[in-house]
Amino acid sequence: MFKKFDEKEMVSGVSQIKSSVQRNIRAKLLENYPIEEYIDDIIPKKEGIKIVKCHEHIEIIANTAGDLLFFHDKSDIYIPTLKLLHKYPFMLPHQTVDKGAIRFILSGAHIMCPGLNSSGAILNKAHEGMIVAIMGEGKEHAVAIGWMKLSSDKIKELNKGIGIENVHYLNDGLWKMKPVR
């Protein structure tokens, strides 16, 4: 999603969000992620948040300091950025790929089923359509965030094709984007 993302060309505007919209966003985040005790740190009630509108219907949520927090496209599901996920790693369920897959993932490749089934990989129970953190074997922090294209049971069964669609990875356009002012 952010492989060829260039903030100078892709960002079309930044605006402050109304408090009613902010409440709706907070409610959706609490519904989708286990962050009840941290929500006031992530999106404080008293401070406004900004929305960064980008081409291809991508919107990025930023706090008043300009830190990029969540993004979404045409779907109504807010996905945390990797920088936020590194602060709160428990937000998403983890899938671990073997060492050989890491360099491909960092180039924007989707996560293939064999990379999730090999030795060194850990395939946790997950259903199709779930948002997951992709961990690398032996790495402390997530290297990417993706959508489960197949359930974990189906990945084990097929062992070929794309298992997880890579939507955001280290050093992509969103990772390199400067804080919004």
Side-chain angles (χ1 to χ4, degrees):
M1 184 181 290
F2 295 101
K3 189 171 190 172
K4 295 181 180 175
F5 186 85
D6 179 13
E7 70 179 289
K8 291 181 179 100
E9 295 175 15
M10 301 297 280
V11 173
S12 58
V14 178
S15 58
Q16 196 75 24
I17 294 179
K18 290 194 256 179
S19 60
S20 60
V21 175
Q22 184 173 333
R23 279 192 301 276
N24 288 338
I25 291 171
R26 283 172 60 98
K28 284 181 186 176
L29 295 176
L30 288 170
E31 184 180 305
N32 292 326
Y33 302 108
I35 55 173
E36 290 83 15
E37 59 189 86
Y38 303 100
I39 191 70
D40 288 330
D41 295 333
I42 297 169
I43 300 177
K45 282 184 180 179
K46 300 294 180 187
E47 293 181 25
I49 57 175
K50 301 174 187 175
I51 190 158
V52 180
K53 294 192 181 234
C54 306
H55 295 293
E56 299 176 24
H57 305 283
I58 297 172
E59 294 181 338
I60 305 168
I61 305 298
N63 61 16
T64 52
D67 301 326
L68 308 175
L69 305 172
F70 295 90
F71 64 91
H72 73 99
D73 57 2
K74 295 174 191 169
S75 68
D76 210 22
I77 298 170
Y78 289 93
I79 302 170
T81 62
L82 273 170
K83 290 180 182 178
L84 184 65
L85 185 63
H86 288 174
K87 289 181 186 174
Y88 304 99
F90 55 84
M91 284 180 75
L92 295 175
H94 295 184
Q95 301 295 357
T96 305
V97 297
D98 63 1
K99 287 181 182 178
I102 296 171
R103 69 183 177 115
F104 296 106
I105 293 168
L106 295 179
S107 297
H110 297 308
I111 295 78
M112 306 304 281
C113 293
L116 293 163
N117 282 322
S118 64
S119 63
I122 301 169
L123 184 60
N124 296 309
K125 193 88 170 144
H127 58 80
E128 184 178 331
M130 196 174 197
I131 301 165
V132 294
I134 296 131
M135 309 297 287
E137 179 184 3
K139 303 295 180 194
E140 183 181 346
H141 295 289
V143 295
I145 296 174
W147 289 93
M148 295 289 293
K149 296 299 280 182
L150 302 168
S151 69
S152 54
D153 295 335
K154 201 73 155 160
I155 289 171
K156 287 178 186 174
E157 179 186 318
L158 292 176
N159 201 27
K160 65 178 179 180
I162 298 172
I164 304 173
E165 181 183 332
N166 190 346
V167 295
H168 175 36
Y169 56 94
L170 291 175
N171 284 328
D172 67 0
L174 182 59
W175 176 267
K176 292 179 182 177
M177 192 170 168
K178 293 180 177 81
V180 180
R181 300 288 172 206

